[in-house]
């Protein structure tokens, strides 16, 4: 058995864990990241693609902003399609100059991984049987197995950045945590393909009789597209041809005609869920990112929320270690949850507005149509969509 000590153990090397590690390192706080999977497995998960300015700023603060500056595509608008007609929403105009940036989660993760390697920081990949101990005391511990050897890490704090299915939230006694959840009756089939994106200046969100569709991008030569599908569908049910035929039927005719198709390089189905666990602190254990909350991807908020949690949490740890103040860690949960619930509301609203619900009656459908019509014609509602899409300020509602 090997025993060592550090100030903070971070569980999970997804975007939350890696970004927290980068910010702590910059502040001179010693930490170790323990990850269940291999680096290649982590990089192989194709997920988010849209970064709020708050997230881009945080990448710069963490010293990994070059990738997004050079490889990201700035967007000033989004496009809504319904009744096969396209309606631009000028988000930059409506928010006094704010933008979002198309830059893949895979790239963000890779930039952070490369920086860790360059800085010689410790990440334990392929750690088995990770377990958390004594986080209700001043001497928490994380244990794991690596290559058949047991390791014990003594620390002052544990950061649970291990995603929705991780061990951190599951280690908290049931009576100490309240969970709120809504599961949607459909999933998203996502396809990645090396074809030029049908829209490079705006993400396209389509509401159609056949269900939702989304056109996004990873670069000028790589597209990321999604269609709403039944939860019972399997990836094998969707040949490339079936996917391209289906997505084109859900767009406006001009865009469908223009869409370049090609062989998929990744295809996966994700269920849609809204979920929040409260609180996000249990003694010396703190949860951040998907470990504490999930949003349906329609609002592009998951990765951005993970980034804002990490901003609040890193500031709290820095305050604790540098200024000897517990104010930040004491307020972390309340502070982060206020932003999370706003993003939960927005993501739920946009999901409800844009998808076909199997059980919705004619009336539900008519309400969707009326709201979409109101949205594209009302400055007030377009502004509300725009200010949420670009991301509310980190201190929103605190004055
Ligand atoms: P992650 O990325 O799940 O990383 C958690 C890490 O913890 C590891 N782990 C463990 N390690 C040690 N011991 C254990 N017992 C462990 N259990 C798990 C895992 O292997 C993993 O490496 O969580 P994190 O870091 O909080 O990051 C969250 C984001 O990944 C997520 O919110 C976004 O991808 C959500 N999301 C989007 N967010 C956006 O902001 N903009 C988007 O455009 C966007 N699009 C999306 C999305 C998510 C999607 N899916 C697949 C759900 C599109 C899709 C389709
Ligand atoms: C993506 O690029 O994967 C993406 C973009 C916008 C969303 C969801 C996913 O709302």
């Amino acid at each position: 058995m090997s025993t060592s000590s550090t100030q903070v153990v971070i569980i999970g090397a997804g975007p939350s864990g890696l970004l927290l590690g980068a910010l702590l390192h910059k502040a001179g706080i010693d930490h170790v990241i323990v990850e269940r999977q291999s680096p290649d497995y982590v990089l192989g998960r194709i997920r988010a693609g849209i970064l709020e300015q708050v997230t881009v700023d945080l990448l710069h603060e963490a010293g990994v902003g070059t990738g997004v500056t050079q490889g990201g595509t700035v967007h000033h608008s989004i496009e809504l399609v319904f009744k096969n007609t396209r309606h631009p929403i000028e988000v930059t105009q409506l928010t006094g100059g704010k933008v979002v940036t198309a830059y893949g989660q895979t790239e963000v993760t890779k930039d952070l991984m490369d920086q860790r390697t360059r800085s010689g920081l410790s990440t334990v990949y392929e750690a088995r049987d990770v377990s958390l101990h004594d986080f209700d005391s001043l001497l928490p511990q994380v244990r794991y197995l690596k290559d058949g050897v047991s390791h014990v890490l003594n620390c002052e704090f544990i950061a649970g950045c291990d995603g929705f299915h991780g061990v951190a939230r599951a280690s908290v006694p049931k009576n100490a945590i309240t969970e709120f959840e809504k599961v949607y009756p459909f999933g998203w089939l996502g396809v990645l393909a090396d074809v030029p994106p049908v829209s490079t200046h705006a993400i396209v969100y389509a509401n159609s009789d056949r269900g939702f569709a989304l056109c996004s991008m990873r670069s000028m030569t790589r597209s990321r597209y999604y269609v709403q599908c039944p939860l019972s569908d399997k990836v094998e049910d969707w040949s490339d041809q079936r996917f391209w035929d289906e997505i084109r039927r859900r767009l406006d005719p001009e865009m469908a005609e223009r869409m370049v198709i090609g062989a998929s390089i990744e295809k996966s189905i994700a269920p849609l869920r809204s979920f929040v666990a409260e609180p996000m602190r249990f003694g010396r254990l703190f949860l951040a990112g998907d470990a504490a909350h999930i949003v349906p991807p329609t609002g592009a908020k998951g990765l951005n929320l993970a980034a804002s949690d990490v901003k609040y949490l890193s500031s709290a740890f820095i305050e604790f270690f540098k200024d000897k103040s517990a104010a930040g860690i004491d307020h972390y949960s309340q502070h982060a949850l206020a932003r999370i619930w706003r993003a939960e509301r927005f993501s739920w609203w946009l999901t409800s507005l844009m998808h076909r619900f199997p059980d919705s009656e004619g009336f539900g459908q008519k309400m969707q149509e009326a709201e979409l019509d109101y949205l594209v014609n009302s400055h007030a509602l377009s502004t509300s969509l725009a200010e949420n899409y670009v991301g509310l300020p980190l201190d929103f509602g605190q004055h």
Side-chain angles (χ1 to χ4, degrees):
M1 189 171 84
S2 103
T3 304
S4 51
S5 297
T6 185
Q7 289 175 291
V8 181
V9 175
I10 299 172
I11 306 178
S16 311
L18 291 168
L19 188 56
L20 181 61
L23 293 167
L24 293 185
H25 170 63
K26 201 179 150 218
I29 297 170
D30 192 50
H31 68 278
V32 174
I33 301 185
V34 180
E35 162 64 50
R36 180 168 57 181
Q37 306 288 357
S38 67
D40 284 348
Y41 184 95
V42 171
L43 285 174
R45 294 189 293 229
I46 308 298
R47 288 182 171 177
I50 290 293
L51 308 183
E52 296 173 0
Q53 193 57 44
V54 163
T55 306
V56 172
D57 292 345
L58 209 51
L59 293 175
H60 284 288
E61 187 181 327
V64 291
T66 314
V68 63
T69 301
Q70 291 177 354
T73 306
V74 172
H75 285 178
H76 300 282
S77 59
I78 60 172
E79 291 201 306
L80 299 182
V81 177
F82 62 97
K83 295 196 174 147
N84 295 101
T85 307
R86 231 152 67 212
H87 303 267
I89 305 279
E90 301 297 343
V91 294
T92 299
Q93 241 172 49
L94 291 163
T95 57
K98 295 190 178 164
V99 300
V100 294
T101 303
Y103 190 64
Q105 178 167 331
T106 311
E107 283 66 41
V108 172
T109 307
K110 180 143 195 331
D111 294 345
L112 286 160
M113 277 178 167
D114 290 349
Q115 188 206 40
R116 277 191 89 72
T117 309
R118 281 196 306 276
S119 311
L121 297 177
S122 174
T123 317
V124 182
Y125 283 99
E126 297 179 271
R128 301 273 166 258
D129 301 339
V130 176
S131 60
L132 292 74
H133 305 269
D134 302 331
F135 51 81
D136 53 351
S137 78
L138 295 180
L139 295 168
Q141 237 182 31
V142 172
R143 299 184 199 153
Y144 63 92
L145 267 179
K146 168 86 185 170
D147 301 329
V149 179
S150 309
H151 294 259
V152 177
L153 280 169
N154 293 311
C155 58
E156 294 185 55
F157 293 107
I158 304 173
C161 299
D162 51 348
F164 184 65
H165 299 289
V167 65
R169 194 181 71 253
S171 305
V172 174
K174 281 277 162 280
N175 60 5
I177 195 164
T178 308
E179 298 183 345
F180 301 87
E181 183 171 49
K182 177 175 174 62
V183 177
Y184 299 86
F186 41 73
W188 278 16
L189 168 70
V191 161
L192 189 69
D194 278 330
V195 291
V198 68
S199 167
T200 53
H201 69 282
I203 305 295
V204 180
Y205 292 87
N207 172 314
S208 90
D209 294 348
R210 303 179 65 91
F212 174 74
L214 189 156
C215 304
S216 181
M217 60 181 287
R218 290 293 175 271
S219 70
M220 291 300 169
T221 55
R222 182 166 287 186
S223 301
R224 180 65 168 167
Y225 296 142
Y226 301 92
V227 291
Q228 173 186 351
C229 68
L231 275 171
S232 52
D233 277 14
K234 302 273 169 288
V235 168
E236 303 75 65
D237 300 333
W238 286 87
S239 65
D240 286 357
Q241 193 58 51
R242 180 176 171 207
F243 175 80
W244 294 118
D245 289 346
E246 186 58 40
I247 193 165
R248 284 181 293 184
R249 282 193 197 112
R250 298 184 188 193
L251 301 171
D252 70 289
E254 187 274 326
M255 198 173 257
E257 175 71 30
R258 203 157 34 80
M259 181 173 262
V260 180
I261 67 170
S264 65
I265 50 178
E266 194 266 357
K267 212 184 264 163
S268 49
I269 293 180
L272 267 66
R273 179 195 306 274
S274 298
F275 174 86
V276 181
E278 290 188 346
M280 290 166 68
R281 177 199 181 173
F282 309 90
R284 294 239 159 176
L285 166 65
F286 295 80
L287 303 180
D290 280 15
H293 44 80
I294 296 287
V295 284
T298 326
K301 288 285 163 253
L303 175 57
N304 292 301
L305 273 186
S308 51
D309 286 359
V310 163
K311 172 64 186 169
Y312 296 136
L313 187 56
S314 61
S315 303
F317 284 154
I318 293 167
E319 226 176 289
F320 183 86
F321 287 115
K322 303 286 169 205
D323 308 336
K324 312 279 174 252
S325 161
I329 57 172
D330 288 345
H331 287 124
Y332 167 69
S333 182
Q334 189 194 353
H335 207 161
L337 281 164
R339 183 175 172 83
I340 290 158
W341 278 113
R342 290 183 185 116
E344 289 284 348
R345 185 207 66 80
F346 174 66
S347 305
W348 159 82
W349 171 73
L350 198 57
T351 302
S352 310
L353 184 64
M354 298 307 292
H355 292 76
R356 274 287 165 282
F357 284 75
D359 53 354
S360 104
E361 302 286 314
F363 186 77
Q365 203 110 329
K366 284 286 180 193
M367 287 300 98
Q368 250 190 12
E369 286 172 25
E371 187 154 9
L372 279 164
D373 172 63
Y374 175 48
L375 172 58
V376 299
N377 288 296
S378 154
H379 189 260
L381 195 49
S382 302
T383 304
S384 168
L385 166 64
E387 78 166 352
N388 281 279
Y389 195 76
V390 299
L392 297 171
L394 279 172
D395 59 354
F396 183 88
Q398 282 171 40
H399 305 296

